[in-house]
Amino acid sequence: MAFPFNHKTLVMTNLRQLFLQNLAQTSDSPLAVEVERAEGVYMIRKDGKKVIDLISGIGVSNVGHCHPKVVKAVQKQAEQYMHLMVYGEFVLSPQVQLANEIAKTLPEPLKNIYLVNSGAEATEGALKLAKRYTGRSEIISAYHSYHGSTHGPLSINGSEYFKRNYRPLLPDVRHIHYNRFEDLEFITSRTAAVIVETVQGEAGVVVPEPGYLPALKQRCEEVGALLILDEVQTGFGRTGTFWGFEQFDVVPDILLTAKGMGGGMPIGAFISSHEIMRVFQENPFLGHITTFGGHPVSSAASLACLKIVRKEKLYKQAKAKGELFKKYLKHPKIKEIRSLGLMMAVEFESFEVLKPIIDEAVKKGVLTDWFLYNDKSMRIAPPLIISEKQIKKACEKLLKAIDKKPKK
């Protein structure tokens, strides 16, 4: 039964109860951690206890929580103007400056940026762009891939479990096995685009085999299909270079980014050449529209974030810091650690072994989780600013959580 809300409500009913009552839930057991504030690699709870954030809001807070330069950029822009007009109609300085700085990080011909609100929206835009440019309908993605949860991305995601109850979805979608060279023959003259993650995230950090991405791009070129690389998780320094694809001798036709791009604010983008992106201008004109895409405040935050990552060369620190986790995180129960920079998966025997460890880690002040398609692996993707001292402390707490004997 609903009840009226007034200033006394929070006294009578605690925040957690209101959270469970009024916010739509997507699981029957949410973490429900109450955070008073966040700073750097820490989230501070109501009781003042600090929690080391080892997942960065799932790869979002690359420069840490509430970075002073990002906060200042948000405040300054909010005082000037916020939403004025749908994306692409007005010349808005934060959008223009951001697009210009992103273009500087990219090789030719990736110089045309379409700003949106999220990674899922970036995927949606890229799928439309590929179909419109090629005049084809087939989209190929990889098994165990994740590209978002709206209707289009859900259609190409590589897990039937998460989409079977939402069918029918987009037609003409096919899946291939990531890193399986022989599957490239399934890419044909019917294919509009192949979309893959540069590093598969929700599969549990699956890194491309040597030569796989160049071979994939070559096959796409042979049949006239476009290659879309999803760097929603890997972009903005996460893997040891500013863009993950820089490490694999490949340049996509369309690039997706979001998450770590915004410094904590919601923003995303799909990026291509002027030639490809130009198809949105006619037949029909306004071929892709977004009201809040490239929101001025989010764009200002993203610009500040980009400058921090590049000026402080945080991407160059990611590989060494990833190695520190491997150095300090050694335990007989750990079967394997897969990583590229600070995108890491720590594998255990099973979910039944891992879940109590994650729960105990939160109690000890370290936040981790598992992957959608690999629930026996622990996700580690902390802010890129994390120090060696903080890494060591986090690993000590994780080892204690691993050693904690579960209650019978």
Side-chain angles (χ1 to χ4, degrees), residues 209-221:
E209 296 287 344
Y212 176 70
L213 289 181
L216 177 57
K217 177 64 182 294
Q218 181 180 344
R219 179 59 179 171
C220 286
E221 290 178 343

Side-chain angles (χ1 to χ4, degrees), residues 60-71:
V60 169
S61 303
N62 282 13
V63 297
H65 295 285
C66 292
H67 193 289
K69 291 182 179 178
V70 174
V71 172

Side-chain angles (χ1 to χ4, degrees), residues 63 67 69-74 76-77 80-81 92-105 115 236 242 259-268 294-312:
V63 297
H67 193 289
K69 291 182 179 178
V70 174
V71 172
K72 184 177 180 181
V74 168
K76 181 179 179 182
Q77 184 57 46
Q80 290 180 296
Y81 59 81
L92 304 181
S93 177
Q95 293 179 349
V96 174
Q97 290 186 63
L98 174 59
N100 184 54
E101 290 301 316
I102 291 174
K104 290 178 182 178
T105 70
L115 298 171
F236 275 66
F242 192 88
K259 287 190 181 291
M261 172 185 183
M265 292 291 285
I267 192 168
H295 190 280
V297 177
S298 290
S299 294
S302 181
L303 180 61
C305 175
L306 188 156
K307 289 180 176 179
I308 293 163
V309 172
R310 295 192 73 193
K311 184 176 180 180
E312 299 182 14

Side-chain angles (χ1 to χ4, degrees), residues 74-94:
V74 168
Q75 292 171 335
K76 181 179 179 182
Q77 184 57 46
E79 290 173 351
Q80 290 180 296
Y81 59 81
M82 289 186 273
H83 178 71
L84 298 178
M85 183 59 170
V86 294
Y87 173 84
E89 292 300 312
F90 282 12
V91 180
L92 304 181
S93 177

Side-chain angles (χ1 to χ4, degrees), residues 183-235:
D183 277 15
L184 300 183
E185 67 181 39
F186 297 122
I187 305 167
T188 70
S189 58
R190 291 192 62 255
T191 308
V194 180
I195 177 170
V196 296
E197 298 156 274
T198 304
V199 175
Q200 285 200 308
E202 297 310 314
V205 186
V206 179
V207 179
E209 296 287 344
Y212 176 70
L213 289 181
L216 177 57
K217 177 64 182 294
Q218 181 180 344
R219 179 59 179 171
C220 286
E221 290 178 343
E222 289 171 355
V223 301
L226 300 183
L227 175 60
I228 305 171
L229 285 186
D230 181 339
E231 295 237 1
V232 169
Q233 287 197 50
T234 54

